[in-house]
Amino acid sequence: MTYDTINDSIQEENIRFYKDYGFLIANEIFSEDDVNTLNQEVIGIASGKKGAVEGILEDAENIPENELIKRYTAIHFPHKLSPLIKEYARHSYITDILSKLISPNVKCLQSMFFIKAPGKKGQSWHQDEYFIPTRDRSLTGAWIALDDADVSNGCLWVIPGSHQEGVIRKRIDNNDANFADLEVADLKPYTEKDFLKVEVKKGSVIFFNGYLLHMSLQNNSSDRYRRALVCHYSSAESMLPWNLDGRVDFTDDFRDIFIVAGKDPYGHKGILDLAKPFIRPDVLDFSSGSQESK
């Protein structure tokens, strides 16, 4: 199948494609300057210059920038330390599309900066809804490519239409050396013939549904990064029973959010500061409600 792309502004046929297949692409929305600015901003976060980050290297400030960034896999909640990243998370181009795909009222739940250096492994087949339990089918990721992403350096792969059943798939042991995870979603009855690579140029945005099965493989290039800023959103009408994989106390409605479009129907609850920026370990273990480096 071919990708459906947004030209200038989202159209009805784009919305239909997203509903049918669970993903949508906006090509080269952000400029070279935008991309370079975001990549440089994350170096400041990774070095500790922007504030405290759990899991940061003790000598990060003394490591050369070109070496430092290779040491990390992902930084969670970078918007907590960077007003710039928060501004991109609520960029008008992105939020206009989200308000058409999700609801007139949209909230941002989290941000992540992925740093896949040469040789770094990918993330196994999964559904974001498994980790962020909105359960109302409104969860949507916006994946901003900060390098050209292709098969060589570990682009995204999806199974088009796999979101439609709205079921959280069983997790099984991972035996694929391409992946950093200890578990992988059980794909049955899907097979390799159902896999679709999603190659994009830097500055492009991939939107994908929270139930869509997707993954990325190892970066097999010799000298190319595959960096991306990824933010997750849902309908502001949705309540989110989330404890950040055991990082915060359980609540029936996670209120460490910010509104990016429309109004907040639960504004009377206030906004909390619960999530703290942290470094994702190279090996992921979600089976015990934690992420452990091994």
Side-chain angles (χ1 to χ4, degrees), residues 30-271:
F30 296 108
S31 68
E32 184 89 20
D33 285 345
D34 290 322
V35 168
N36 291 340
T37 298
L38 282 168
N39 282 329
Q40 192 63 37
E41 184 78 354
V42 170
I43 290 175
I45 295 173
S47 65
K49 294 176 182 177
K50 299 285 185 178
V53 182
E54 178 188 329
I56 200 169
L57 294 170
E58 291 183 6
D59 58 344
E61 288 190 9
N62 301 318
I63 300 173
E65 290 182 357
N66 62 334
E67 289 298 321
L68 174 65
I69 206 71
K70 294 178 182 177
R71 308 282 188 93
Y72 299 120
T73 299
I75 302 172
H76 286 238
F77 297 98
H79 75 273
K80 291 278 189 165
L81 300 174
S82 169
L84 176 71
I85 288 178
K86 192 170 184 177
E87 284 304 308
Y88 276 92
R90 59 187 177 200
H91 190 280
S92 59
Y93 188 91
I94 290 176
T95 58
D96 179 66
I97 291 170
L98 292 171
S99 66
K100 304 294 194 308
L101 295 179
I102 299 176
S103 162
N105 306 311
V106 182
K107 59 185 176 183
C108 183
L109 310 176
Q110 72 164 359
S111 62
M112 297 184 290
F113 194 96
F114 285 98
I115 309 161
K116 190 187 291 188
K120 286 281 188 178
K121 294 186 176 184
Q123 187 171 4
S124 68
W125 286 104
H126 65 284
Q127 300 161 292
D128 289 345
E129 185 71 33
Y130 173 81
F131 305 105
I132 309 175
T134 64
R135 302 301 187 257
D136 67 350
R137 302 200 189 198
S138 73
L139 183 65
T140 302
W143 197 97
I144 304 174
L146 300 178
D147 295 289
D148 292 349
D150 51 41
V151 171
S152 173
N153 67 346
C155 67
L156 289 183
W157 290 72
V158 303
I159 299 180
S162 58
H163 66 299
Q164 290 198 20
E165 60 184 350
V167 172
I168 303 299
R169 289 180 163 264
K170 178 184 176 181
R171 306 271 295 174
I172 58 177
D173 291 343
N174 169 48
N175 298 309
D176 190 329
N178 273 290
F179 301 137
D181 313 64
L182 297 183
E183 292 186 335
V184 59
D186 187 350
L187 299 185
K188 295 175 184 175
Y190 297 114
T191 64
E192 274 192 48
K193 66 179 177 59
D194 300 302
F195 302 174
L196 179 70
K197 62 185 177 184
V198 186
E199 296 181 306
V200 293
K201 294 293 186 181
K202 60 185 173 183
S204 301
V205 185
I206 306 170
F207 297 89
F208 53 95
N209 182 276
Y211 282 90
L212 184 75
L213 285 162
H214 60 287
M215 64 88 166
S216 68
L217 297 175
Q218 182 170 313
N219 183 345
N220 289 318
S221 71
S222 60
D223 59 356
R224 298 172 58 216
Y225 284 92
R226 197 233 61 188
R227 291 165 289 189
L229 174 62
V230 186
C231 297
H232 286 94
Y233 308 84
S234 76
S235 163
E237 291 84 5
S238 172
M239 293 177 63
L240 179 64
W242 194 26
N243 68 352
L244 281 180
D245 302 308
R247 289 182 171 272
V248 301
D249 292 337
F250 181 82
T251 173
D252 63 351
D253 187 17
F254 184 78
R255 289 295 302 171
D256 192 348
I257 55 96
F258 57 98
I259 296 296
V260 300
K263 299 179 180 180
D264 182 0
Y266 299 117
H268 59 279
K269 296 183 179 183
I271 301 297

